[in-house]
Amino acid sequence: MEKSLRSSAGLFVLALILAACQASASSSPSESAAATGAVDPVAACEALELGCVEVPAGEPLTVASALAITGAVAFLGNDANFGIQVAQEERGQVLGRDVEVIHEDAGCGDAASGQTAAESIVANPAILGVMGTTCSRTAVPMMPVLEAAGLTNISPSNTAVSLTQPGHANYGGEFYFRTAYSDFFQGSAVAKFLCEELGVTTIATIHDGSPYAEELQQVAVDQFAEQCDGETTSQDGINVGDTDFHALLTTIAANSPEVIFLPIFSPEGPLFVTQSQEIPGLADTIMFGADGVKDGAMIKGAGDLAQEIGMYFSGPDLNYGGRYIDEFLPAYYALSGTETVLAPYGGQAYDAYNILMDAIVAAHVGDDADGTSYFSKEAIREYVAGLTDYPGLTGTLTCDENGDCGAREISIDQLEDGVFVPVFSTREP
């Protein structure tokens, strides 16, 4: 991957910074600072095209989250923010400084809200990196703004396949990474469950026109055909904000699909499921949601009904082991005041925060005489791009050349007593 450095001097400086990064992996933050202190930070930063973020003495390290924290999808964004907060409190100071997380609302249903959040972030020269967005739709217009500012972003919950496909219009670019999986794996797992566990032969799908929904349903359709010659009777779209689905449901029912796969969000998801029970032709049709409605909004909007009709939900397999159960969840519950997670991406957000903090430590060029610290933007990106066998909460993580870093295990759940309970997983025993 081509690096955007101004000169050979810049290459030399970045090599020194990345060499210090290797030292920091096995050293304390103070030791890391000492290692990088061999470089004149002002001169080093002037040699880098993207320059450095300067943090004056006594000021915190500043990063931003850009998540959906208001409206019906707030369960998703707040879940991730609690994961970030658990990591922040567990880790404490970094390089002897407090860490401030600025929380921007990047929304979900309106793609433009991602760009608005990004513009607010880049207007703050103290921000070192970003964790967002919640929804793939808002990441598309956000990333060009962040990349132009040289800010690395790690999303905890974007899953659209196209975000890590170079050449695609939705490609997130060289500064985009995610600790969530690509929906190729979620769609393939859904198809495997349809073919091997449910044994159905026909499905219908719904999407809302977003990269996430449209691409996930398409992967499921393609894999359903490939894995067991399954037939898709219809693939229909809805609009964010729609409230009456009776006419569409009646049309879908005319083809008698055995399953309707609906990778959409709330409030449309719960409304769609509720209204489906009013259509006689769908009385025996199985409702199947994905991670966009595998959250508190679905439980609140149609949880009792979803449990009664045996609705299925795909999403990340949360069986991360003892560290997640014994340490992360108690800390999460203490912060959130809940007894269950709000949505399934808090662990990915925890990993995103820790990876970003490690990258900041690695990118510490040095301090000048008045105590101002300098951090290379390019070195932050290089550290994340080179992440290999990282011992994350959600698994052992390695970032590929296109920014995919997440664990790939998927579970299929049903609701029992208001809690999502796995009935199938792609995780090896």
Side-chain angles (χ1 to χ4, degrees), residues 101-118:
V101 181
I102 295 175
H103 298 287
E104 293 287 345
D105 187 354
C108 180
D110 179 9
S113 60
Q115 180 173 342
T116 300

Side-chain angles (χ1 to χ4, degrees), residues 167-351:
H168 195 287
N170 296 337
Y171 176 51
E174 297 180 1
F175 286 75
Y176 177 82
F177 303 90
R178 59 183 173 194
T179 49
Y181 49 67
S182 162
D183 271 336
F184 173 80
F185 300 101
Q186 182 171 202
S188 297
V190 168
K192 182 178 179 68
F193 186 76
L194 293 171
C195 294
E196 299 181 6
E197 301 297 325
L198 296 184
V200 298
T201 59
T202 59
I203 65 170
T205 68
I206 292 296
H207 66 82
D208 64 4
S210 65
Y212 156 77
E214 194 159 6
E215 294 172 16
L216 176 53
Q217 64 85 31
Q218 189 61 54
V219 172
V221 165
D222 293 344
Q223 287 293 312
F224 186 48
E226 182 175 325
Q227 294 184 29
C228 64
D229 200 25
E231 177 189 358
T232 299
T233 59
S234 61
Q235 294 174 262
D236 291 292
I238 63 168
N239 298 308
V240 173
D242 284 353
T243 58
D244 186 349
F245 303 104
H246 290 89
L248 175 59
L249 285 161
T250 299
T251 300
I252 293 172
N255 294 315
S256 303
E258 295 165 273
V259 174
I260 298 179
F261 181 50
L262 53 147
I264 55 178
F265 296 96
S266 294
E268 293 82 15
L271 284 172
F272 188 90
V273 173
T274 300
Q275 293 173 23
S276 73
Q277 301 309 296
E278 301 168 10
I279 309 299
L282 298 176
D284 297 324
T285 300
I286 298 169
M287 294 291 132
F288 203 134
D291 45 357
V293 289
K294 195 176 180 180
D295 64 358
M298 183 71 204
I299 294 173
K300 182 179 180 180
D304 289 344
L305 174 61
Q307 182 169 319
E308 178 184 346
I309 63 177
M311 182 174 176
Y312 294 99
F313 301 86
S314 59
D317 184 342
L318 303 185
N319 186 23
Y320 300 131
R323 182 179 161 206
Y324 178 79
I325 296 170
D326 299 333
E327 299 177 19
F328 176 82
L329 288 180
Y332 178 107
Y333 296 150
L335 290 170
S336 67
T338 61
E339 296 180 350
T340 61
V341 295
L342 301 178
Y345 287 106
Q348 284 79 359
Y350 175 97
D351 282 342

Side-chain angles (χ1 to χ4, degrees), residues 28 39 53 123 129:
S28 68
V39 177
V53 175

